[in-house]
Structures are given as structure tokens and as C-alpha cells.
């Protein structure tokens, strides 16, 4: 049984979400503030966290940072406002998805199931036989070990950034829409496409010599994004 930690200072929201998750077959833990969430996650690590952005003690962004210090953990952010800035902040700290209040509890359960399916697929990938490194110019990525490097230096990538880079390395020169990236990288049939936009920007910041003028991940206007592998010597990488 998968364990979900629900963090919200509104007891009504917590009770409703917990009830729907329980009926969907999840074990549910509750926390009403930031420090309690961090302590609870440390004492009994969950499989996923549903995390309100606005919390007493520590806000959701800081809670997300702290609970992920010991490794990747799927997080779905809850925000009471529909402002894009709030959504972007959640995605910037590595949230896997977000839901804006008021929300449908059934939709939240579907999002939880979708994120956990993806996390399970990653675990299966890690258990599979090792495969060769994927390489493109100065970039190298080992799908089995979940390691990626640029010019031999380790890249600190989130789960989604790693998955996105792996997709690009496996599909060079292919223009791919944000909708298709959401389906093939996130495994979602629905969701806010700004999730893809933010992750592409974050990935560019880590692999491009000049993220403001990307050469590796190009924007194809009206289509999406395309990965253009540089020469093996990295000459077009700008390094």
C-alpha cells in the first residue's frame, strides 16, 4: 500500500483529501504545518507528498526543499491562488505537479496515481539490466545508474530534468510538442503545459553554455522543442 503524506493547515481540506485517498487504496498521514511535515516525512518516509504552498511555520517551498534533501520524492503542490508565479515557484523547486484550490478531490487522486505510476516506472527502469551510456557531444547519460555528466562533470538533475534529457538524447533532431513531452516524459494525458516549459528552461540552465541563446535545446515555434546534438568535441557547445 502506497503511503501519501497530506500537508495542509485547513482541517476540512485535509479530511476530504484523506478520505478520497483512503477510498482509493492509499495509506494517508496528515500534517498541519511545515515543521510537522518535515518531521513526519523523516520519521516515516512517504511515497508521495500532497503539499500546500501556504503553511504556518515553513512554507511549502521550504518544506519541499527539506524533505528532498535525502533523495527524490514525488510532490504535488496545492495552491490557493491561480497566479502563474505561484505555480512556477512550485515547479522551480521540483514539484511534479500542482493543483489549484478549489479543486476536485477525484482529480487530485488521479494526479496522485499518475505521479506514482511514473515513479514506479523509474524504479523498474533502475532494476532492469544496465544499458550503455547515451552520449551527445559533451553530454553523457547513464539511464540505469541515473547519472548524467557534461564535459565529465556530474549534473545535478531532478527526476523530471533527467527524464527530459534522456528523452532528448534518445530522440535527437526530432521536434516534439509540449503536449507530447507531457505524455512521453511525464506520462500524463492532462496537466498544465507550463510544467514542461519550466523544466526545459531549468534543463537549459544546466546543460547550455549560454541558456539565453540555447544551441542544444531549440524552440521550434508552433511545434515545441528539438534537441540538436553538438559534435563529439563539443565545439558547438560553446565550452
Amino acid at each position: 500500500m502506497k503511503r501519501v503524506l497530506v500537508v495542509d493547515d485547513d482541517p476540512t481540506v485535509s479530511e476530504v483529501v484523506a478520505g478520497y485517498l483512503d477510498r482509493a487504496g492509499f495509506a494517508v498521514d496528515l500534517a498541519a504545518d511545515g515543521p510537522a511535515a518535515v518531521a513526519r516525512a523523516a520519521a516515516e518516509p512517504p511515497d508521495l507528498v500532497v503539499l500546500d504552498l501556504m503553511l504556518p511555520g515553513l512554507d511549502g517551498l521550504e518544506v519541499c526543499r527539506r524533505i528532498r534533501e535525502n533523495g527524490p520524492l514525488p510532490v504535488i503542490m496545492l495552491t490557493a491562488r491561480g497566479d502563474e508565479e505561484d505555480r512556477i515557484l512550485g515547479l522551480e523547486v521540483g514539484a511534479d505537479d500542482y493543483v489549484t484550490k478549489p479543486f476536485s478531490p477525484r482529480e487530485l487522486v488521479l494526479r496522485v496515481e499518475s505521479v506514482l505510476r511514473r515513479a514506479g516506472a523509474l524504479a523498474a527502469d533502475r532494476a532492469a539490466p544496465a544499458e550503455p551510456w547515451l552520449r551527445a557531444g559533451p553530454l553523457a547519460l547513464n539511464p540505469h545508474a541515473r547519472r548524467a555528466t557534461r564535459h565529465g562533470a556530474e549534473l545535478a538533475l531532478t527526476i523530471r530534468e533527467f527524464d527530459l534529457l534522456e528523452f532528448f538524447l534518445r530522440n535527437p533532431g526530432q521536434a516534439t510538442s509540449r503536449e507530447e513531452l507531457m505524455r512521453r516524459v511525464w506520462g500524463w494525458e492532462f496537466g498544465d503545459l507550463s510544467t514542461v516549459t519550466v523544466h526545459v528552461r531549468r534543463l537549459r540552465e544546466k546543460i547550455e553554455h549560454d541558456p539565453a541563446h540555447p544551441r542544444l535545446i531549440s524552440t521550434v515555434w508552433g511545434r515545441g522543442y528539438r534537441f540538436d546534438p553538438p559534435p563529439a568535441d563539443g565545439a558547438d557547445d560553446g565550452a
Side-chain angles (χ1 to χ4, degrees), residues 12-60:
T12 301
V13 172
S14 294
E15 290 171 9
V16 171
V17 170
Y20 272 82
L21 288 171
D22 179 71
R23 286 192 289 275
F26 295 101
V28 182
D29 292 328
L30 299 177
D33 58 50
V38 174
R40 188 64 179 160
E44 192 166 4
D47 296 291
L48 180 143
V49 180
V50 175
L51 179 61
D52 191 20
L53 184 62
M54 305 299 292
L55 291 170
L58 296 171
D59 66 23

Side-chain angles (χ1 to χ4, degrees), residues 26-183:
F26 295 101
V28 182
D29 292 328
L30 299 177
D33 58 50
V38 174
R40 188 64 179 160
E44 192 166 4
D47 296 291
L48 180 143
V49 180
V50 175
L51 179 61
D52 191 20
L53 184 62
M54 305 299 292
L55 291 170
L58 296 171
D59 66 23
L61 299 178
E62 182 60 27
V63 172
C64 186
R65 293 187 186 99
R66 295 194 184 189
I67 64 178
R68 282 185 160 175
E69 287 178 353
N70 295 324
L73 175 65
V75 172
I76 296 177
M77 283 279 190
L78 301 180
T79 173
R81 300 188 298 275
D83 295 343
E84 183 177 5
E85 181 179 352
D86 290 333
R87 300 197 300 269
I88 298 303
L89 282 173
L91 296 172
E92 288 284 6
V93 298
D96 296 276
D97 198 2
Y98 77 91
V99 176
T100 303
K101 295 179 181 178
F103 57 86
S104 162
R106 290 186 179 87
E107 178 187 350
L108 178 59
V109 170
L110 290 174
R111 302 258 183 140
V112 168
E113 291 172 343
S114 174
V115 171
L116 285 173
R117 275 197 304 272
R118 182 60 181 164
L122 293 178
D125 287 345
R126 287 193 290 269
E131 59 181 298
W133 284 71
L134 304 174
R135 301 182 185 275
L139 299 173
L141 180 145
N142 186 313
H144 181 72
R146 302 287 293 180
R147 293 181 57 209
T149 62
R150 178 177 179 269
H151 291 297
E154 200 82 17
L155 289 170
L157 302 178
T158 65
I159 291 175
R160 297 301 183 189
E161 291 165 0
F162 186 96
D163 294 344
L164 192 57
L165 180 58
E166 181 179 353
F167 176 86
F168 283 137
L169 289 175
R170 292 186 184 278
N171 299 275
Q174 173 181 307
T176 308
S177 68
R178 293 189 301 168
E179 292 87 351
E180 188 174 356
L181 285 171
M182 179 160 282
R183 286 193 298 270

Side-chain angles (χ1 to χ4, degrees), residues 210-224:
D210 181 2
H213 300 89
R215 295 183 178 182
L216 300 177
I217 304 175
S218 302
T219 298
V220 181
W221 297 111
R223 182 67 177 105

Side-chain angles (χ1 to χ4, degrees), residues 203-230:
L203 183 58
R204 280 171 169 164
E205 290 171 354
K206 296 179 179 182
I207 69 171
E208 299 276 4
H209 175 68
D210 181 2
H213 300 89
R215 295 183 178 182
L216 300 177
I217 304 175
S218 302
T219 298
V220 181
W221 297 111
R223 182 67 177 105
Y225 302 101
R226 184 185 67 240
F227 179 73
D228 298 310

